[in-house]
Amino acid sequence: MSSTTTPTKTPSTTRSRRHSDSKSRFEAYNRLQAAAVAFGETLPIPEIVAVGGQSDGKSSLLEALLGFRFNIREVEMGTRRPLILQMLHDPSALEPSCRFQEEDSEEYGSPVLSATTIADIIKSRTEELLKKTKTAVSPKPIVLKAEYAHCPNLTIIDTPGFVLKAKKGEPENTPEEIISMVKTLATPPHRILLFLQQSSVEWCSSLWLDSIREIDPSFRRTIIVVSKFDNRLKEFSDRSEVDRYLSASGYLGDNTHPFFVALPKDRGNISNEDFRRQISNVDLEVMHHLRDGVQGGFDEEKFKSYIGFGRLRDYLESELQKKYKEAAPSTLALLEQRCTEVTCELAGLDSKIEATSDISHLRKFAMLCAASISNHVGALIDGASDPSPEQWGKTTAEERSQSGIGFWPGVGTDVNPPNASLRLYGGAAFERVMHEFRCTAYSIECPPISREKVANILLAHAGRGGGRGLTEAAAEIARAAARSWLAPLLDTACDRLAFVLGNLFDLALERNRKHDSAYGIKMGNMDGYVGFHAALRCAYTRFLRDLSKQCKQLVRHHLDSVTSPYSQVCFNDFQSCAGLNASSFNKFPQNSASSFFLELSDANSDVRRDQENIPPEKNALEETTPGKAAKVSESLRESQMTIPETPSPDQPGGPRKELGICNDVGPRKRASRMTGNSKNSDYIRLQNDSILFGNGDRTGSAYSEICLLAAQHFARIREVLVERGVTSTLNSGFLTPCRDRLVVALGLDLFAVNDEKFMDMFVAPGAIDVLQNEREFLVKRQKILHTCLNEFKNVSRSL
């Protein structure tokens, strides 16, 4: 193509101007790249990433691009970290000048003149970092800037070579780690892939080509290089073989043209000039062989521009400059955005540093934050549905799992209240737990009672006198069961409710980020004060823990009240609950335990028949016949009369015998008393039978009657406790304080302290130094970004 010129511009002037613009653009990107590495910036800078298998010639290619050798191939661990090689063409640098960027800094060290020293630094830095991180590879790059008259303006990231098996002493997963790291480096779309593969490997058997396809399926941003091409030349005999190989048809696609490169094999101690001369000679030899050593030559028009190292170097430089030029406008816009962000970060950090010396300022905004959190907690209890319940709410199963309270004590199966599968929080979740507690409480019945326990309680009550021994015994059994089985339910209910309210803190924080303070004042940015937020959360947790403790005491008090022996819960509705004739029950006084014994065994026998002083069964049956109550009463009075020591002469013998009085003296006198007492015992047995079985009804047993009464009393205690006491107590004990007293409790806990203790929430030991160091880092970052921004503005003007 012929070049057109203007009268004021000669071709040499145009080329010089173009070269100057290219160099300034390249230097601007190099400086931006250094800043990105130092400050962790993620910038879409056009970069070339060299990838390939180990021994595929990546290191040799880098040395050829640099124009001098520094023995990177001899560094075994040198390619276990990415090496960012920034090559800057400087016509005045007749000898290479290399400088390493300091670790975690944008500054470069002093020039390194010895090629051996370069390799040693790469090795030592790699080993030091891998030892520190205890890994086989690391994605943290080493940055090397090389300025030389014989290198192009080019930046390449050299990556660890793919391997099939780890070296001796390396972890077995090293190959997988290398592939993963390379994919991470090569995936960003602004990076160009430079994939190298030896010429001795056929495309159909390539080990790593599929890995490259995973990153760039269409090879749109991939440059493929066939290395060690001279090893393949001797296999070509005619033009068709050469053209078929160079086209790589069927494997890479029609739009992908690989480069074919051969480099010197001589690793002897030669000068840099001789090394460059050898590179040029190898290119000439390859071209000569294809033209003259192969019958018919090759299709030069189609493939000449892709053969030789010189062609590849020119293409890489032009392609990178093209990408730089295309990316300059977007890079400029991104730099302006980053500069603005860094300026805002720096202003916020300055505010924090200033706030550490302004305690009143911190107190004001900390109080506003605590008050706002309290108001949001109250709103959530009252039914606010922001934030989204689908995201922040919990089902009953999630509440049980996350609270660590997987089940209700004493209940064998899960109790699923209505709406158990819905994600609820706040007041709705509180009411669901309350309903779950009611369902659980009503699912518990009076537990089975052993006969021995019934006997111990009932016989003890029999000896106290009074007319309600059976009912009192059953009531005591019910009270003991209620205390044993309902008390754990009450504690569990308090713990579950406290967990529901504890979840509201994070929801309140989320609402606080989206809404203004309830006082209508924009709060200061308190997000960065981790110590304050931790103290605020702890204060809220303590508040709920105290509420839970108080509520447990209150509901235990209700339980103690309804299970007290003085409570009338078990006796108010006795006639309706017990199913017995209370008037007949109270008609007869109880006798002492010495003459009173109930049969509580499993059999339905009446009274032990081997006791002495027991009259014949016939008389007992006669005296318990209905309608004979007066006769029984008369016999009772007679058995309690005082018997004279000697019979009266005026008194006939018949009546005395009817009364069971014997005329004999001495031993017969004792027998007379025993006979009289036998009537008394017989009456007591009949009376007990009336109490246990009703008026002559012998269909049940004393044990079953006691169990029935105890179950009825237990149900009554449970109903009174759940419906009249606990529900209102838990509502007023938890919800009312959260609405009315939370802000005061948080204020007293956090702010009713002296300034020194208050500042502990904001300024930890050494925190000021940390803030100052962070500020210095931001200032450096701001400075370098502004420098890059100004340079890119100048670059944009020359485009």
Side-chain angles (χ1 to χ4, degrees), residues 660-727:
I661 302 174
C662 183
N663 292 330
D664 299 333
V665 296
R668 297 180 62 87
K669 192 163 50 171
R670 176 174 175 79
S672 172
R673 293 183 179 181
M674 291 171 61
T675 304
N677 290 337
S678 71
K679 290 186 177 182
N680 186 19
S681 299
D682 187 41
Y683 168 75
I684 293 170
R685 178 179 63 81
L686 298 178
Q687 176 187 343
N688 295 338
D689 286 347
S690 176
I691 294 173
L692 295 175
F693 306 111
N695 293 328
D697 182 10
R698 293 178 179 270
T699 60
S701 69
Y703 174 72
S704 61
E705 291 291 336
I706 288 289
C707 291
L708 177 61
L709 278 176
Q712 292 170 342
H713 292 329
F714 181 87
R716 178 62 176 164
I717 292 172
R718 180 186 60 195
E719 178 185 1
V720 171
L721 180 69
V722 173
E723 300 299 336
R724 299 184 187 178
V726 172
T727 303

Side-chain angles (χ1 to χ4, degrees), residues 585-596:
F585 176 81
N586 293 323
K587 182 175 181 180
F588 302 102
Q590 295 287 349
N591 289 276
S592 64
S594 61
S595 60
F596 183 84

Side-chain angles (χ1 to χ4, degrees), residues 444-450 477 481-482 484-485 707 710 714:
I444 293 181
E445 302 293 340
C446 186
I449 312 164
S450 66
I477 293 172
S484 176
W485 289 84
C707 291
F714 181 87

Side-chain angles (χ1 to χ4, degrees), residues 45-65:
I45 304 171
E47 296 165 325
I48 298 175
V49 181
V51 298
Q54 195 173 43
S55 302
D56 278 345
K58 291 191 288 77
S59 299
S60 296
L61 180 62
L62 292 181
E63 289 181 340
L65 290 170

Side-chain angles (χ1 to χ4, degrees), residues 128-175:
E128 182 180 350
L129 181 64
L130 296 183
K131 183 179 180 180
K132 182 179 179 181
T133 58
K134 297 180 180 180
T135 56
V137 295
S138 173
K140 187 175 182 180
I142 297 174
V143 180
L144 173 63
K145 177 183 285 189
E147 300 175 77
Y148 194 29
H150 302 284
C151 72
N153 289 317
L154 196 64
T155 297
I156 294 182
I157 302 176
D158 184 25
T159 62
F162 298 132
V163 293
L164 293 174
K165 187 177 179 180
K167 293 181 181 179
K168 184 178 180 180
E170 292 183 347
E172 293 183 359
N173 65 338
T174 299

Side-chain angles (χ1 to χ4, degrees), residues 356-377:
T356 56
S357 59
D358 190 351
I359 300 178
S360 61
H361 172 87
L362 281 178
R363 280 188 180 272
K364 172 186 175 182
F365 287 107
M367 287 180 179
L368 287 175
C369 182
S372 180
I373 294 295
S374 302
N375 290 333
H376 287 308
V377 168

Side-chain angles (χ1 to χ4, degrees), residues 4 30 89 143 176 187 225 227 236 273 492 552 566 601 685 706 722 767:
T4 59
N30 272 357
H89 176 70
V143 180
E176 291 77 14
T187 297
V225 177
S227 62
F236 301 136
E273 185 177 354
T492 301
K552 286 181 181 180
Y566 302 101
S601 65
R685 178 179 63 81
I706 288 289
V722 173

